[in-house]
Amino acid sequence: MRAVVQARYGGPEVLRMGDREAPIAGQGEVVVRVAAAGVDAGTVHLVEGRPALIRAIMPLRGGRVPGGDLAGTVHEVGAEVAGLQRGDEVYGVAEAPDGSLAEFARVRVSRIAAKPMGLSFAEAAAVPTSATAALRAVRDAGRTSAGDRVLVLGAGGGVGHFAVQIAKSLGGSVVAACSAGKAAIARASGADHVVDYRREDPLARGPFDVIIDTGGHRPVRAMRRALSHAGALVVVGSEPEGAPLGGITRSLGAAMADPFTRQRLVMLSSSEDAEALRDLAALVEAGELWPIIDREFALDESAEALRHLGHGAGAAKTVVRVA
Ligand SMILES: NC(=O)c1ccc[n+]([C@@H]2O[C@H](COP(=O)([O-])OP(=O)(O)OC[C@H]3O[C@@H](n4cnc5c(N)ncnc54)[C@H](OP(=O)(O)O)[C@@H]3O)[C@@H](O)[C@H]2O)c1
């Protein structure tokens, strides 16, 4: 099969187009013929091996196909798989080392669901990782409810634009912070107010019941000051240049301060599963979630797609067309 192959860690230049054996479905797995693959900040981390701990726990023996999110059709069904058959239209997250930037990818049944009705393959591939993180941040960790004042930092990005949509679907009133070039994405996601953080400090619009932090490296104490006395701060992540531990130090700072305050300070650790994918499909089908695709690239332009994402500079979603 045609695939993007990564033989060493580094920037997008380490990615090569190549021929690779198509994966075989193991027990509890299917092989998906990939129509489109979604990429995000996590894809960039795994290609770069950043933070460096990734390189230690995931050595690149034999090379691997990068990419997680995908949408396509079931091609082969492994043993002990019920409810899926060849030809089904699905979306989900591929299993390393047989990632989604290839014609075929291997997926565990616990990380796949029926493609949401009404979405193209490209739109469906934009959903799994970023929208799951937004769902877990806004609904589960943030416990957003009707009437809450919600601030989304990074509202023009992959997780951020979904966070705006999910907060609105739960009845929140949303202030969206993003750079001016991404205001249209935040508005199209349903934000009540859009703030260009380069001209105005969005935290000054507090107090908020929920703050969802997906970009900008604001200190935890500054965000806490903008939070109501029993509000929730959910640190999803950010991409500080040159920090050896990446964005995790702020997340840890929030988790460590949490036991000592009535505020809830959460370090998000999102993982994708079939249940979340089904919940997201239901939101799509109810008209409450709609992926916004900023750019599409061809499979042999995958390195360019990752350059386009940069380090925390994504605009809504970036998708790679495979078929
Ligand atoms: N904890 C988890 O389980 C989990 C899951 C998924 C993702 N993440 C992390 O969450 C972060 C966001 O991921 P993503 O895929 O959404 O990235 P993304 O698409 O690159 O979006 C990040 C957004 O933040 C914006 N931003 C940067 N500085 C800002 C500031 N000062 N104020 C407000 N917005 C600012 C960026 O654009 P502008 O500056 O132009 O507005 C960009 O739109 C990444 O660090 C990722 O690794 C964590």
Side-chain angles (χ1 to χ4, degrees):
M1 65 172 183
R2 287 177 71 236
V4 174
V5 181
Q6 175 185 6
R8 62 187 172 89
Y9 282 112
E13 67 282 354
V14 302
L15 301 182
R16 297 268 177 274
M17 279 306 295
D19 286 320
R20 196 173 154 98
E21 288 284 308
I24 294 167
Q27 187 176 325
E29 297 176 343
V30 297
V31 167
V32 173
R33 180 186 287 275
V34 182
V39 291
D40 62 87
T43 319
V44 176
H45 286 200
L46 288 174
V47 168
E48 294 184 348
R50 183 172 54 86
L53 190 61
I54 290 178
R55 298 177 182 223
I57 54 181
M58 293 177 68
L60 287 176
R61 285 188 208 97
R64 69 149 183 241
V65 178
D69 290 5
L70 57 75
T73 50
V74 173
H75 176 73
E76 186 202 345
V77 178
E80 291 181 29
V81 173
L84 283 170
Q85 52 192 10
R86 192 180 163 108
D88 285 352
E89 296 190 344
V90 290
Y91 80 135
V93 183
E95 230 23 65
D98 301 310
S100 59
L101 291 170
E103 288 176 306
F104 296 94
R106 193 168 50 87
V107 189
R108 272 192 279 146
V109 284
S110 57
R111 303 225 289 173
I112 200 167
K115 178 169 82 71
M117 279 185 285
L119 291 191
S120 66
F121 284 114
E123 288 168 328
V127 171
T129 297
S130 301
T132 298
L135 186 71
R136 301 216 187 283
V138 177
R139 183 192 67 181
D140 303 343
R143 300 181 200 157
T144 302
S145 58
D148 279 352
R149 292 197 73 224
V150 181
L151 171 65
V152 178
L153 297 169
V159 178
H161 87 294
F162 284 128
V164 173
Q165 297 173 17
I166 292 169
K168 287 303 298 175
S169 83
L170 293 169
S173 159
V174 179
V175 175
C178 57
S179 59
K182 292 172 188 161
I185 294 169
R187 259 188 233 104
S189 296
D192 298 282
H193 306 281
V194 179
V195 176
D196 175 358
Y197 65 85
R198 291 184 176 133
R199 297 173 65 101
E200 179 193 335
D201 182 1
L203 297 179
R205 296 215 179 189
F208 296 99
D209 301 299
V210 182
I211 299 179
I212 306 295
D213 170 21
T214 79
H217 350 292
R218 299 296 301 258
V220 169
R221 64 179 181 284
M223 292 190 283
R224 285 187 59 188
R225 281 198 293 270
L227 205 57
S228 61
H229 67 285
L233 164 65
V234 185
V235 183
V236 180
S238 68
E239 304 288 313
E241 289 294 339
L245 294 175
I248 203 161
T249 38
R250 276 177 339 117
S251 304
L252 286 172
M256 279 160 52
D258 178 68
F260 305 104
T261 169
R262 277 198 67 197
Q263 295 175 324
R264 284 189 308 107
L265 310 174
V266 184
M267 162 183 172
L268 188 75
S269 179
S270 173
S271 58
E272 304 76 33
D273 61 30
E275 188 184 348
L277 292 168
R278 286 193 292 269
D279 287 350
L280 293 167
L283 285 173
V284 168
E285 289 160 14
E288 292 175 351
L289 192 81
W290 53 95
I292 297 177
I293 296 179
D294 169 59
R295 285 279 300 274
E296 287 189 30
F297 292 86
L299 185 60
D300 60 6
E301 298 169 332
S302 294
E304 201 43 49
L306 296 197
R307 271 186 209 103
H308 175 66
L309 285 177
H311 293 154
K317 287 299 301 179
T318 300
V319 169
V320 173
R321 284 187 315 279
V322 179

